[in-house]
């Protein structure tokens, strides 16, 4: 491991200060990134991680401080400028050209030429070479948009290699990857690290941070808390450094998963044989009043497809749906809402944020849609709803009048989650509700879901974090290869048991 503090830093940021109207996003922060290290930047939602990255890469101008790269003082005007200097960034929202081919994206701006112009054959050959070195076998002529986010992120890394990046920045790249894809990404990161690339990593998944990092820098409220070698910072110390207090324990929540759910009456929702050719094999699902049903499985296993079909966001070609014992026809989200069903989608940021509106307006949109657009929500009621959810989910800054675009990624997620909680549905479907959310706020969200379900709300809870599924769901439905494999009582199975079941169980078998 090249984590010697003696190795001179490739990137030195000193005293970095950036303020936005009303917010001191960074306050005199120092950050050092060395060649051949994986350095994680940690902090709560809104701590300033993305802002520090944007300061380095020329997206934001700094108000004070200095940036030195490879010994020279720099101030980049744009990301292109930073790329030129060997600093490449891969964001969660992939910043490539979706309508171009994979090969074109990898080679963009560096296309090999022959006398007649761009040599397309060579473009694709070279692109293929870079992708293969990352362990990716892809048709380089296929459109980038036809691939999963995971693949697109790896393509973005291949592109960074073409640019001969000395610094690779990954800001929450793993939020939408499944376990296998994360392993693939980590293998690539390890190779790049061996080759001396300096890697800056941001993720809210603590397991991943501990697996891949050599060093951690912690920010809190725009201030530097400290820089630590990974071995000197056990998990609980990291969490305390991030949130400035100990994480109040989640023990109380375990009683939620163990709660007895009466299943003799009519279920709130009964789905029988719901499916669509090529999307999902016919599947069954029951949800009883006050029950939290988890859906577990790898990405692409059919979890999201199942809920989108029952919500009417996708057309089913088989199956029936009953709501509270009555047969229901749900062909659109509007009809689902009329039946008291709300869906908070996994693509919240892409599908849900209305950038021109304030935090409060974004939050109230769900309630407004439910009422119909001709009946504005009275101000007093609106303020009450906004106040309640700002508080319950800990939205920061706690100012509902801000444009939502001023909030950090995680805080935008919280607002969109609030939008659906506020509609007070009978059945709430949450697809990856804690993705991109920091450890403290994750606990707040889990607590809120537990509290609402104890009051009678029924919930379908999809999450790649199996620990949280087991903690709050009484029952877990397992999907694989776009099929429902089976169903477990969460009190009968532990984490390893669930992982094993997801990977290996035969259809219809019982958990061990
Ligand atoms: N363009 C902007 N305009 C105004 N305020 C902003 C802007 N971008 C960020 N902020 C504010 O700066 C602070 C730091 O935000 P930043 O996005 O860096 O947080 P983060 O640590 O990346 O959080 P997350 O984990 O949620 O992604 C927050 O208070 C945020 O509201
Ligand atoms: Mg961020």
């Amino acid at each position: 491991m090249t984590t010697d503090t003696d190795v001179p830093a490739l990137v030195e940021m000193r005293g970095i200060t950036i303020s936005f109207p009303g917010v001191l996003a960074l306050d005199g922060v120092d950050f050092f990134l060395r060649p051949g290290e994986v350095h994680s930047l940690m902090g709560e939602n809104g701590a300033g991680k993305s802002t520090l990255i944007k300061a380095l890469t020329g997206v934001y101008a700094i108000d004070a401080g200095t940036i030195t790269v490879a010994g020279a003082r720099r101030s980049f005007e744009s990301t292109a400028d930073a790329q030129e200097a060997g600093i490449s960034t891969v964001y969660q929202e992939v910043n490539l050209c979706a309508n171009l081919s994979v090969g074109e994206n990898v080679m963009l701006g560096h296309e090999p030429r022959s006398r007649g112009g761009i040599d397309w054959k060579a473009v694709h050959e070279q692109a293929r070479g870079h992708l293969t070195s990352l362990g990716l076998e892809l048709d380089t002529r296929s459109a980038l948009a036809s691939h999963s986010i995971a693949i697109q992120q790896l393509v973005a890394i291949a592109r960074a290699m073409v640019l001969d990046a000395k610094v690779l920045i990954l800001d929450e790249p793993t939020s939408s990857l499944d376990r296998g894809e994360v392993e693939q990404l980590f293998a690539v990161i390890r190779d790049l690290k061996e080759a001396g690339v300096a890697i800056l990593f941001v993720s809210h998944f603590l397991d991943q941070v501990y697996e891949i990092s050599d060093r951690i820098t912690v920010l809190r409220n725009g201030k530097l808390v400290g820089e630590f070698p990974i071995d000197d910072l056990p998990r609980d110390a990291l969490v305390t450094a991030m949130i400035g207090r100990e994480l109040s324990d989640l023990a109380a929540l375990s009683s939620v998963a163990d709660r007895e759910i009466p299943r003799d009456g009519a279920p709130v929702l009964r789905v029988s044989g719901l499916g669509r050719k090529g999307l999902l094999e016919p599947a069954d699902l029951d949800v009883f009043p006050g029950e939290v049903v988890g859906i577990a499985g790898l990405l692409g296993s059919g979890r999201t497809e199942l809920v989108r079909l029952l919500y009417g966001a996708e057309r089913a070609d088989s199956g029936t749906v009953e709501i509270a014992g009555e047969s229901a026809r749900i062909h659109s989200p509007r009809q689902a809402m009329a039946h008291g069903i709300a869906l908070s989608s996994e693509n919240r940021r892409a599908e849900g944020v209305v950038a021109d509106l304030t935090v409060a307006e974004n939050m109230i949109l769900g309630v407004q849609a439910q009422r119909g657009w001709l009946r504005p929500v009275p101000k007093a009621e609106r303020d009450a709803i906004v106040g309640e959810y700002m508080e319950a989910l800990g939205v920061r800054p706690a100012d509902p009048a801000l444009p939502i675009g001023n909030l950090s990624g995680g805080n935008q997620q919280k607002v969109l989650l609030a939008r659906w909680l506020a509609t007070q549905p009978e059945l709430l479907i949450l697809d990856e509700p804690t993705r991109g959310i920091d450890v403290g706020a994750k606990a707040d969200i889990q607590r809120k879901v537990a509290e609402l379900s104890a009051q009678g709300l029924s919930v379908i809870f999809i999450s790649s974090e199996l620990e949280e599924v087991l903690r709050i769901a009484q029952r877990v439905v397992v999907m694989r290869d776009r099929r429902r494999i089976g169903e477990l009582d969460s009190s009968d199975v532990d984490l390893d048991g669930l992982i094993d079941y997801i990977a290996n169980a035969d259809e219809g078998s019982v958990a061990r």
Side-chain angles (χ1 to χ4, degrees):
M1 245 191 285
T2 35
T3 55
D4 257 326
T5 339
D6 305 339
V7 178
L10 188 58
V11 174
E12 286 187 29
M13 301 178 80
R14 287 183 196 270
I16 304 296
T17 298
I18 290 188
S19 53
F20 297 110
V23 183
L24 188 53
L26 292 175
D27 184 3
V29 171
D30 297 338
F31 177 70
F32 304 98
L33 186 62
R34 299 160 191 86
E37 76 169 349
V38 177
H39 195 143
S40 285
L41 191 54
M42 300 293 291
E44 288 183 284
N45 296 130
K49 305 177 295 292
S50 296
T51 303
L52 189 68
I53 289 169
K54 288 173 180 167
L56 173 59
T57 55
V59 179
Y60 292 154
I62 54 178
D63 299 333
T66 59
I67 300 174
T68 310
V69 180
R73 277 282 290 273
R74 303 301 297 249
S75 116
F76 301 116
E77 301 277 315
S78 65
T79 40
D81 218 16
Q83 268 186 2
E84 206 59 37
I87 302 177
S88 282
T89 314
V90 179
Y91 295 101
Q92 185 179 351
E93 304 84 7
V94 177
N95 44 345
L96 297 175
C97 307
N99 53 337
L100 297 184
S101 70
V102 167
E104 286 166 298
N105 267 292
V106 172
M107 302 304 296
L108 198 68
H110 293 252
E111 297 92 348
R113 289 173 174 271
S114 63
R115 215 168 299 140
I118 292 177
D119 179 349
W120 289 109
K121 193 155 169 274
V123 164
H124 288 284
E125 266 167 20
Q126 291 187 17
R128 204 170 307 119
H130 288 292
L131 291 166
T132 311
S133 71
L134 298 180
L136 273 180
E137 296 295 335
L138 284 186
D139 175 3
T140 59
R141 291 179 194 273
S142 56
L144 183 74
S146 66
H147 297 282
S148 68
I149 298 291
I151 299 290
Q152 295 188 29
Q153 285 180 339
L154 289 166
V155 170
I157 293 176
R159 165 150 188 79
M161 292 169 61
V162 169
L163 297 171
D164 198 19
K166 302 283 181 285
V167 175
L168 180 63
I169 301 173
L170 301 152
D171 192 356
E172 297 193 49
T174 54
S175 307
S176 38
L177 311 189
D178 67 34
R179 277 165 202 256
E181 290 165 335
V182 169
E183 277 317 311
Q184 194 175 358
L185 174 68
F186 280 8
V188 170
I189 290 180
R190 288 192 184 98
D191 283 352
L192 292 173
K193 173 180 138 152
E194 281 307 307
V197 176
I199 295 156
L200 170 51
F201 185 68
V202 177
S203 169
H204 288 291
F205 297 108
L206 298 190
D207 286 347
Q208 296 179 359
V209 167
Y210 277 91
E211 183 181 339
I212 196 79
S213 313
D214 302 306
R215 212 186 296 268
I216 296 183
T217 287
V218 181
L219 299 180
R220 186 165 71 235
N221 276 330
K223 293 196 179 60
L224 176 69
V225 176
E227 180 196 80
F228 311 87
I230 190 91
D231 293 335
D232 293 358
L233 191 67
R235 255 167 217 253
D236 48 350
L238 169 63
V239 171
T240 305
M242 283 171 62
I243 70 179
R245 59 182 161 88
E246 281 175 39
L247 188 60
S248 49
D249 70 357
L250 287 163
L253 269 183
S254 61
S255 59
V256 180
D258 293 344
R259 224 177 64 220
E260 281 296 327
I261 301 293
R263 298 203 179 91
D264 33 19
V268 172
L269 174 80
R270 166 156 289 166
V271 167
S272 316
L274 191 71
R276 192 175 106 190
K277 240 186 152 62
L279 196 68
L280 182 76
E281 291 192 21
D284 299 345
L285 178 70
D286 284 348
V287 186
F288 288 87
E291 184 175 35
V292 182
V293 176
I295 304 185
L298 300 177
L299 251 127
S301 58
R303 307 173 311 186
T304 296
E305 288 74 6
L306 174 57
V307 296
R308 285 177 59 84
L309 282 167
L310 77 85
Y311 186 66
E314 210 77 65
R315 273 280 174 139
D317 62 13
S318 71
T320 58
V321 173
E322 278 174 32
I323 310 270
E326 310 252 328
S327 138
R329 295 164 62 83
I330 299 179
H331 294 317
S332 69
R334 172 166 295 277
Q335 288 171 334
M337 272 166 73
H339 279 104
I341 304 177
L343 167 71
S344 168
S345 123
E346 63 174 337
N347 287 324
R348 283 185 297 278
R349 255 185 267 178
E351 286 178 13
V353 172
V354 185
D356 303 341
L357 299 185
T358 65
V359 168
E361 287 163 338
N362 266 284
M363 220 179 244
I364 220 76
L365 273 183
V367 174
Q368 188 62 70
Q370 194 179 35
R371 302 265 164 101
W373 300 99
L374 298 177
R375 292 180 47 215
V377 181
K379 180 161 185 323
E381 187 184 346
R382 185 188 142 113
D383 290 350
I385 293 174
V386 170
E388 178 186 347
Y389 289 99
M390 295 288 291
E391 164 87 31
L393 303 182
V395 177
R396 296 283 175 280
D399 178 0
L402 286 177
I404 195 167
N406 287 16
L407 269 55
S408 74
N411 280 294
Q412 294 185 15
Q413 301 270 41
K414 293 184 209 167
V415 172
L416 295 174
L417 187 59
R419 179 188 292 171
W420 299 115
L421 288 171
T423 63
Q424 300 195 310
E426 308 277 323
L427 171 68
L428 178 63
I429 305 170
L430 298 172
D431 196 353
E432 298 283 7
T434 62
R435 177 184 287 171
I437 303 272
D438 71 57
V439 272
K442 246 176 219 176
D444 291 343
I445 288 174
Q446 293 170 10
R447 214 171 280 124
K448 187 76 192 166
V449 170
E451 178 195 315
L452 290 170
S453 72
Q455 292 164 9
L457 174 73
S458 303
V459 180
I460 298 177
F461 191 94
I462 301 179
S463 174
S464 302
E465 287 191 72
L466 300 175
E467 296 86 344
E468 77 175 354
V469 173
L470 286 177
R471 205 176 304 129
I472 74 170
Q474 290 89 35
R475 239 171 352 118
V476 184
V477 166
V478 176
M479 311 283 299
R480 190 197 306 139
D481 295 337
R482 300 181 181 269
R483 278 215 318 260
R484 178 188 191 279
I485 297 295
E487 165 185 313
L488 311 170
D489 212 318
S490 52
S491 46
D492 292 347
V493 54
D494 61 7
L495 184 59
D496 290 337
L498 181 55
I499 291 172
D500 182 57
Y501 191 92
I502 289 171
N504 302 318
D506 297 327
E507 201 161 343
S509 66
V510 182
R512 214 342 341 168

